[in-house]
Amino acid sequence: MKNKLSIIKSRGQTSSLFSLRHTIFLRYLLCLFLGIHTFSVAAQNNNTSVEGIVVNESNTPVSGASVKEVGGTNVTRTDSEGQFTLNVSSPNTTLMVSYVGYATLEVSVAGRSSLRIVLEVTNEELDEVVVVGYGTQKKANVTGAISSVNMKELEGRPVVNVVEALQGTTPGLTIQQSNSQPGSRPSINIRGINTLNNNDPMVLIDGIIGDIQNVNMADIESISVLKDAASAAIYGSRASNGVILITTKKGSKGTSRVSYDYILAAQTPTFLPQIVDSWVYAELRNEALINSGRPTQFSSEQIRDYRVNGPNANWMKEIYRANAPQQTHSLSVSGGGEKTTYLISGAYMDQESMFKGSDYGLERLNFRTNVETQVSDRFKVNVLAAYSRNALKDHAYWTEWLIEQATRMPSIYPIKNANGDYNYPGGSNSNSLARLEQGGQRSSANDDLSGILNAEYKILDGLKLRGMVGTQLYNNRLKENRKAIPGSGDLENRMTNSSQRIQNITTNLILSYDKTWGAHTVNTLAGYSYEGGTDNRFETFRLVDESNYDIMGGAQTSNTGNQEWQNEWSIYSAFLSMNYNFADKYLFEFKLRDDISSKFRVGNRSAWFPSMSAGWRVSDENFYPERLKNIMPSAKIRSSWGLVGNNRIADYQYQATVNVSQGYNFGNTMYPVASFDAVNPDLRWETTQMFNIGADLGFLNNALTLSGEYYVNDTYDILIGIPVPGLFGGGTPIQNAGKVQNKGWEIAARYQFTTGGVNHTVSGNLSDSKNKVIDVKGTEWINGFDVNTVVREGYPINSYYAYRWDGYFQNEEEVAQGPHLDGITPKPGDIRYLDKNGDGLIREDDDRFVLGNRFPRFLYGFNYAAGWKGVDFSMFWQGVGQRKVWLRGESVEAFHNNNEGPVFNFHVDRWTPTNPDAGYPRLTVGAESANNATKSSFWIENAAYLRLKNVQLGYTFPENWTNRVSLSRLRIYTSIQNALTLSDMKGGWDPETSDGGGRIYPVNRTFSIGLNLNF
């Protein structure tokens, strides 16, 4: 193979000054970084150093490639940009560069200080090293269901947290972002719903449980998603819903590198309700009043005046700004010498709220350090520390209240009157804008501090002892000062202070042994783990006549209150893992974990969670046809089975807790009474049995890769409260009484190719999951008020439960024939409901149907990226093929609850004798709306959608230009997040919205420009 080598001019040193708004902290941090940088350079000036970049034939940087001095001990790996720096013994030495899936290349330095090395793809599978439980593994030898996130594809996205960027990237990973309000948390789910309890996955950051939303995306080296028992059972407890492993970046040997990323963005709403114009509203209001047997409200003259002179208000638009700025700064320095490497990073994010008002928004500050020292040939120590501060400023009310009021206001009322005062139309005692601008403020400061100490001692060749101690401290504080607003119904001055302190600790001690002899390879480990935590919360409030100060001091004794909680928990665990492969063709793996949880009484606390898996690399067999190898050079099939556990219920459920109440009155004196909750002391672990079968295939010299999975998860002993007869006279104790089955499949593909000078990458994924309640002991229960869901055997968890609409009554004859809701006589133009039992009456007990559910199905993502002479372009599409959303109240109902509004554009297509196939029933108000407002499938929307999640265009300046200004990389780009959404949702609501009244802050469309600078 020919050596591919080109010379790059030597890079010098320079310093840069970054002025970051609101962040004096980063100025001092930069001084610290440059001081470390200077010290590092001075410490190494006696060594010969060579630096460079490793890329593949498509000019894509190769991350993690090994760069070693031939005949010496100096070795390093390329970073996420494919760059490396290596101290060498001689300026004329030779380097050996290798990476799985590429041919090993030897390059003569020949006195040069900067290299560009191009690796050629071999005819082997393009393996990569993936992070698995308590270690790493070659992807080619993985037998479980593990997905690795391509962090390169997430660069430059103007997101507030990494969760938003992950949506649609990984098959089986379900992320739903129902709103973009600062401080909101998208929901995360892996492979559907396995239990009636908490379905959140376990998230580990550098080995300890952490908050994924507090990690700076620029600090992340890799993300692995463990989806089946073979990969997750090693974590036993809380792994029944999958595990997300996040590994942060570390330093590498060589000259210090400084990296700076900056994104400036503007946020706008993706969807806002489409309210009709004022003159249209007046016409429809008159029609609804006539249909309801009431006199009209607007004269023809008023309607003409509205058309000519207005007003034509939209309160939803009035409470939002046209755009809200957002910015992110990330700065890091890394490097190291022969024994010690380091990485230090800092970041600042400022997301301003789209709500009008006083400085609402979220500010996040991140700091992270990772230092690793090779103390001796056998002993290595790694210290990690991370800190994040989330400072959130918000209005003092609840967002649902603001949006509810703004949605209900018809367009005939301006939000302020001619004098500039807040408007309070008849029937309304509040004004959303007044609440935002004069109603006070709620502020919170949430600190997340973690520290990890890792140590590794090499006892013998292949035998290592590793220890880890990690601790986390969450300190959350909230202050609220809600102010009375003169002239409105908001007359309460309320002050609230609350605090929460969570302290967790994790310890691991692991003994591992790796051995290869001949065609046999064995990797084993055994370990012990302890996790424990405490949660302390306190809240106090008071109501005052008037106060402009957000303080809680003083001697007030009335209209005050306080409450306090404290919980403690712990888990002790022992685990074992054994991997064996023969000739890299026959792969076997076994894992076992024992967890002892404080959430169960002694005798029930321990549970064993085993798993086993096997894989066969068929393409490595001698009998594999050469003709087939030319088409499909890589083929592996694999399967796994195992058990994982879930203990996510409230603490102390197996113990009787005491409740004290006012009790009974004896002799005009109220005596307190103490009572005990009903408990079940025999609670034990929930268990999920997982089966997975999959295949990994490579085509076209492995330029095209394809993987597929099919899985079945059966969860039994689910901890639920089975309804008890009223004669019991107490609460509902939790029991191990439920069983749920969840099954699904996943497909992922990736294709890299070159046309002319353009490098292309196309990737996509598609997945589906469906759950079913198997056993709840013959009982069922219905939840919700505005939206009813049911837990019933044979159906998905929390399925919608309502009447099924059956068209409209078109005339009096159809009305007479029925069927009718019990106690209601409909009229032509009203909704007709399906009579399930045929008795002529529509009643809840007899005629409700199971009507789908809110959980998304057929999730997909598609990414295309192209690069040409420094220009790069990418677009990422994400969507859902099937989802139901039940909208209620003012989100879809005209004149909801006898209010004057809302009226949306889709209400114009209402039933009339001349429009019998309308999209909406006849318009009515008040009691006349009772038939149509009844809970039914009419209000359940198809929330399937296709969204252009991100589109990005960038340019990386050529090296012969950046070298002149002592830069190793300079890239500028522009990006749009949530650029386009295709959906059939009514009313202008986002398809990811939650159930109910649509009282949700919108999802943002974000326009951004960015800069990436390395030196």
Side-chain angles (χ1 to χ4, degrees):
M1 181 183 71
K2 295 181 180 179
N3 293 350
K4 296 189 176 181
L5 178 66
S6 62
I7 302 174
I8 303 177
K9 293 183 179 180
S10 299
R11 299 169 183 153
Q13 306 294 331
T14 189
S15 62
S16 299
L17 181 62
F18 306 103
S19 176
L20 309 181
R21 188 168 66 91
H22 306 309
T23 54
I24 298 176
F25 163 79
L26 286 183
R27 296 181 182 178
Y28 291 104
L29 186 63
L30 179 59
C31 294
L32 174 63
F33 287 170
L34 294 180
I36 295 173
H37 173 69
T38 303
F39 173 79
S40 174
V41 172
Q44 299 174 28
N45 57 14
N46 292 325
N47 297 323
T48 299
S49 176
V50 61
E51 60 185 25
I53 184 171
V54 178
V55 298
N56 61 20
E57 294 170 299
S58 299
N59 202 35
T60 302
V62 178
S63 173
S66 172
V67 183
K68 181 181 179 180
E69 183 179 13
V70 176
T73 59
N74 297 324
V75 63
T76 188
R77 290 187 178 275
T78 57
D79 61 16
S80 59
E81 305 295 333
Q83 298 175 351
F84 71 90
T85 300
L86 181 67
N87 293 324
V88 293
S89 59
S90 167
N92 296 313
T93 191
T94 299
L95 302 182
M96 178 182 291
V97 185
S98 62
Y99 188 70
V100 177
Y102 295 89
T104 299
L105 180 65
E106 290 191 2
V107 178
S108 175
V109 176
R112 293 165 292 202
S113 62
S114 189
L115 305 171
R116 181 180 181 84
I117 301 170
V118 181
L119 296 182
E120 291 184 345
V121 176
T122 65
N123 289 327
E124 300 174 2
E125 182 180 3
L126 285 174
D127 301 311
E128 61 192 69
V129 175
V130 298
V131 178
V132 297
Y134 300 107
T136 60
Q137 195 173 7
K138 286 184 179 180
K139 186 175 181 180
N141 293 337
V142 168
T143 55
I146 301 176
S147 292
S148 296
V149 178
N150 189 331
M151 297 303 300
K152 190 74 177 176
E153 293 179 356
L154 305 187
E155 286 186 355
R157 297 194 182 184
V159 295
V160 176
N161 58 66
V162 67
V163 182
E164 296 177 34
L166 290 176
Q167 188 175 29
T169 61
T170 304
L173 180 63
T174 302
I175 294 174
Q176 298 180 80
Q177 183 184 8
S178 61
N179 72 88
S180 296
Q181 187 169 8
S184 63
R185 303 181 68 86
S187 66
I188 310 175
N189 178 274
I190 297 176
R191 286 193 164 181
I193 300 176
N194 292 320
T195 177
L196 293 162
N197 292 308
N198 190 317
N199 277 277
D200 294 339
M202 183 181 188
V203 178
L204 294 171
I205 303 169
D206 289 325
I208 65 174
I209 293 177
D211 188 344
I212 189 172
Q213 300 215 144
N214 288 344
V215 184
N216 176 28
M217 193 161 72
D219 288 340
I220 297 176
E221 179 69 28
S222 68
I223 298 178
S224 292
V225 183
L226 315 185
K227 297 182 284 191
D228 69 338
S231 57
I234 191 69
Y235 292 108
S237 62
R238 296 152 297 159
S240 59
N241 304 304
V243 180
I244 297 176
L245 301 180
I246 296 177
T247 303
T248 59
K249 295 177 180 178
K250 60 174 63 175
S252 57
K253 296 178 183 179
T255 305
S256 295
R257 298 189 188 92
V258 177
S259 177
Y260 172 67
D261 293 279
Y262 171 63
I263 299 176
L264 177 64
Q267 311 164 76
T268 62
T270 53
F271 288 91
L272 285 179
Q274 301 161 359
I275 298 174
V276 298
D277 293 324
S278 55
W279 58 92
V280 177
Y281 166 80
E283 293 173 344
L284 297 181
R285 176 70 174 176
N286 281 350
E287 181 180 317
L289 290 169
I290 294 172
N291 288 343
S292 304
R294 301 186 186 186
T296 60
Q297 180 178 345
F298 302 97
S299 66
S300 56
E301 290 78 11
Q302 286 178 296
I303 295 173
R304 282 195 298 269
D305 187 55
Y306 283 145
R307 183 184 292 271
V308 175
N309 301 313
N312 194 26
N314 185 330
W315 283 39
M316 286 294 289
K317 291 183 179 180
E318 292 290 344
I319 63 176
Y320 295 115
R321 296 190 282 174
N323 60 76
Q326 175 182 311
Q327 59 175 317
T328 303
H329 304 262
S330 296
L331 180 65
S332 69
V333 62
S334 64
E338 286 301 312
K339 292 184 177 295
T340 301
T341 62
Y342 63 87
L343 180 141
I344 302 175
S345 70
Y348 171 76
M349 189 279 299
D350 180 14
Q351 180 194 20
E352 296 190 24
S353 173
M354 288 191 296
F355 276 138
K356 293 180 179 178
S358 175
D359 196 26
Y360 301 140
L362 172 68
E363 291 181 287
R364 179 182 297 124
L365 186 66
N366 289 87
F367 177 83
R368 182 174 296 274
T369 180
N370 188 336
V371 179
E372 185 172 278
T373 298
Q374 190 74 44
V375 180
S376 68
D377 291 342
R378 294 183 177 272
F379 187 49
K380 181 169 62 176
V381 176
N382 174 228
V383 179
L384 302 96
Y387 169 76
S388 69
R389 154 66 71 92
N390 288 276
L392 179 64
K393 293 182 180 179
D394 205 354
H395 55 84
Y397 288 82
W398 301 109
T399 295
E400 307 93 86
W401 297 1
L402 301 175
I403 296 178
E404 171 194 26
Q405 185 67 36
T407 304
R408 291 182 178 185
M409 279 298 126
S411 49
I412 61 171
Y413 298 119
I415 203 164
K416 287 186 176 182
N417 60 29
N419 297 325
D421 299 324
Y422 298 107
N423 199 7
Y424 297 95
S428 171
N429 62 358
S430 65
N431 183 297
S432 300
L433 187 60
R435 285 176 166 178
L436 286 170
E437 295 182 336
Q438 295 189 354
Q441 190 174 88
R442 181 188 304 116
S443 61
S444 62
N446 304 320
D447 298 304
D448 179 355
L449 175 65
S450 64
I452 303 172
L453 173 63
N454 291 296
E456 179 182 295
Y457 183 73
K458 182 179 179 182
I459 302 172
L460 300 169
D461 286 344
L463 183 63
K464 295 179 182 178
L465 180 65
R466 289 182 285 157
M468 186 270 278
V469 177
T471 184
Q472 275 187 308
L473 177 64
Y474 296 95
N475 195 29
N476 307 324
R477 298 173 305 282
L478 180 143
K479 294 198 299 183
E480 176 185 289
N481 186 3
R482 186 182 301 161
K483 299 180 180 179
I485 301 174
S488 76
D490 297 319
L491 303 177
E492 179 182 272
N493 287 293
R494 179 186 176 97
M495 293 182 173
T496 302
N497 272 11
S498 68
S499 62
Q500 180 183 28
R501 181 183 175 90
I502 302 175
Q503 187 169 355
N504 298 329
I505 187 169
T506 302
T507 62
N508 292 326
L509 186 63
I510 300 172
L511 183 66
S512 63
Y513 180 68
D514 303 326
K515 178 68 173 178
T516 298
W517 68 97
H520 307 275
T521 299
V522 175
N523 308 104
T524 63
L525 66 83
Y528 168 83
S529 173
Y530 165 79
E531 296 175 63
T534 60
D535 185 349
N536 294 275
R537 307 183 190 190
F538 177 79
E539 179 179 301
T540 182
F541 77 91
R542 75 179 188 184
L543 304 179
V544 296
D545 293 334
E546 183 176 357
S547 175
N548 292 320
Y549 303 99
D550 187 8
I551 56 176
M552 294 295 293
Q556 180 176 333
T557 58
S558 62
N559 293 324
T560 65
N562 62 75
Q563 49 188 338
E564 185 174 13
W565 308 264
Q566 179 171 325
N567 293 326
E568 297 181 354
W569 63 273
S570 62
I571 294 179
Y572 297 84
S573 307
F575 49 88
L576 172 71
S577 175
M578 300 179 65
N579 291 68
Y580 168 75
N581 85 65
F582 177 75
D584 283 336
K585 289 189 293 187
Y586 311 111
L587 315 169
F588 304 93
E589 189 169 353
F590 173 77
K591 292 184 173 73
L592 180 65
R593 181 169 178 130
D594 176 32
D595 280 328
I596 303 173
S597 171
S598 65
K599 295 194 175 184
F600 309 109
R601 72 171 177 85
V602 176
N604 285 347
R605 288 181 172 173
S606 177
W608 291 89
F609 302 105
S611 73
M612 58 189 69
S613 59
W616 180 25
R617 295 180 63 178
V618 185
S619 55
D620 287 0
E621 292 287 1
N622 293 331
F623 61 75
Y624 194 73
E626 192 66 29
R627 179 182 299 178
L628 183 58
K629 183 168 289 189
N630 292 333
I631 300 172
M632 187 170 62
S634 175
K636 179 179 68 175
I637 56 176
R638 49 188 166 76
S639 184
S640 68
W641 172 92
L643 303 177
V644 290
N646 187 9
N647 69 341
R648 296 187 191 180
I649 56 173
D651 296 312
Y652 317 118
Q653 291 295 300
Y654 70 94
Q655 296 174 311
T657 55
V658 180
N659 298 308
V660 179
S661 61
Q662 286 288 75
Y664 298 96
N665 188 343
F666 293 100
N668 295 323
T669 301
M670 186 68 70
Y671 291 91
V673 172
S675 61
F676 293 88
D677 286 334
V679 298
N680 176 9
D682 296 323
L683 298 179
R684 59 187 183 275
W685 285 84
E686 286 185 11
T687 303
T688 300
Q689 177 181 261
M690 295 182 170
F691 169 78
N692 187 92
I693 187 169
D696 303 309
L697 309 175
F699 302 88
L700 304 177
N701 200 26
N702 289 317
L704 171 63
T705 58
L706 178 68
S707 65
E709 315 275 349
Y710 174 77
Y711 60 89
V712 179
N713 298 341
D714 291 294
T715 305
Y716 53 91
D717 289 339
I718 295 178
L719 294 156
I720 54 176
I722 297 293
V724 296
L727 292 175
F728 177 70
T732 303
I734 293 178
Q735 306 175 48
N736 292 96
K739 184 176 181 180
V740 169
Q741 183 179 82
N742 180 45
K743 59 176 64 176
W745 50 267
E746 302 166 0
I747 298 174
R750 184 179 183 85
Y751 181 40
Q752 292 180 289
F753 61 98
T754 301
T755 56
V758 182
N759 301 309
H760 307 267
T761 301
V762 180
S763 61
N765 65 83
L766 174 65
S767 62
D768 182 38
S769 68
K770 184 178 181 179
N771 69 80
K772 182 171 64 175
V773 177
I774 302 298
D775 184 14
V776 285
K777 307 308 176 188
T779 65
E780 69 177 38
W781 53 94
I782 300 169
N783 305 310
F785 178 72
D786 281 342
V787 172
N788 289 148
T789 61
V790 64
V791 175
R792 174 182 288 178
E793 293 175 2
Y795 293 92
I797 297 170
N798 290 326
S799 294
Y800 294 137
Y801 196 47
Y803 300 127
R804 188 184 297 277
W805 86 288
D806 190 29
Y808 305 117
F809 291 104
Q810 297 291 351
N811 49 56
E812 293 292 350
E813 182 181 355
E814 290 187 5
V815 170
Q817 293 175 355
H820 301 167
L821 284 166
D822 194 8
I824 297 177
T825 301
K827 294 181 179 178
D830 284 344
I831 296 173
R832 180 174 54 203
Y833 303 103
L834 195 62
D835 186 6
K836 191 176 182 180
N837 65 355
D839 65 356
L841 289 177
I842 304 298
R843 287 183 272 207
E844 284 191 347
D845 292 341
D846 302 323
D847 298 305
R848 285 189 287 183
F849 291 80
V850 176
L851 299 167
N853 63 85
R854 72 190 66 166
F855 194 80
R857 296 188 60 192
F858 306 109
L859 290 85
Y860 55 90
F862 170 80
N863 187 75
Y864 170 73
W868 177 75
K869 294 185 178 180
V871 178
D872 61 88
F873 170 79
S874 66
M875 61 176 178
F876 177 64
W877 295 83
Q878 174 265 332
V880 168
Q882 179 179 309
R883 182 172 181 253
K884 302 292 185 181
V885 172
W886 187 339
L887 294 178
R888 288 287 295 156
E890 65 276 345
S891 64
V892 286
E893 295 177 28
F895 314 110
H896 170 67
N897 271 1
N898 206 26
N899 289 282
E900 289 189 81
V903 179
F904 300 117
N905 285 348
F906 71 85
H907 290 140
V908 175
D909 182 25
R910 75 282 186 199
W911 186 93
T912 65
T914 59
N915 188 27
D917 298 321
Y920 195 82
R922 70 186 180 106
L923 296 177
T924 54
V925 298
E928 193 72 12
S929 302
N931 181 86
N932 297 335
T934 297
K935 302 181 184 71
S936 75
S937 61
F938 181 83
W939 307 108
I940 298 177
E941 292 291 316
N942 175 12
Y945 68 90
L946 171 62
R947 175 168 279 163
L948 179 53
K949 197 68 181 176
N950 183 267
V951 59
Q952 188 170 152
L953 177 65
Y955 179 68
T956 301
F957 287 84
E959 293 171 348
N960 60 3
W961 188 92
T962 55
N963 288 343
R964 298 174 186 173
V965 290
S966 300
L967 297 175
S968 60
R969 189 187 190 213
L970 174 59
R971 178 177 180 257
I972 57 173
Y973 57 91
T974 182
S975 174
I976 306 176
Q977 187 78 2
N978 298 322
L980 172 69
T981 304
L982 305 176
S983 172
D984 290 332
M985 283 282 288
K986 286 183 180 178
W989 301 107
D990 192 281
E992 288 190 85
T993 189
S994 299
D995 298 327
R999 304 167 188 174
I1000 298 175
Y1001 184 101
V1003 172
N1004 293 343
R1005 178 179 294 112
T1006 308
F1007 302 86
S1008 68
I1009 56 173
L1011 168 72
N1012 174 251
L1013 182 67
N1014 293 344
F1015 62 93

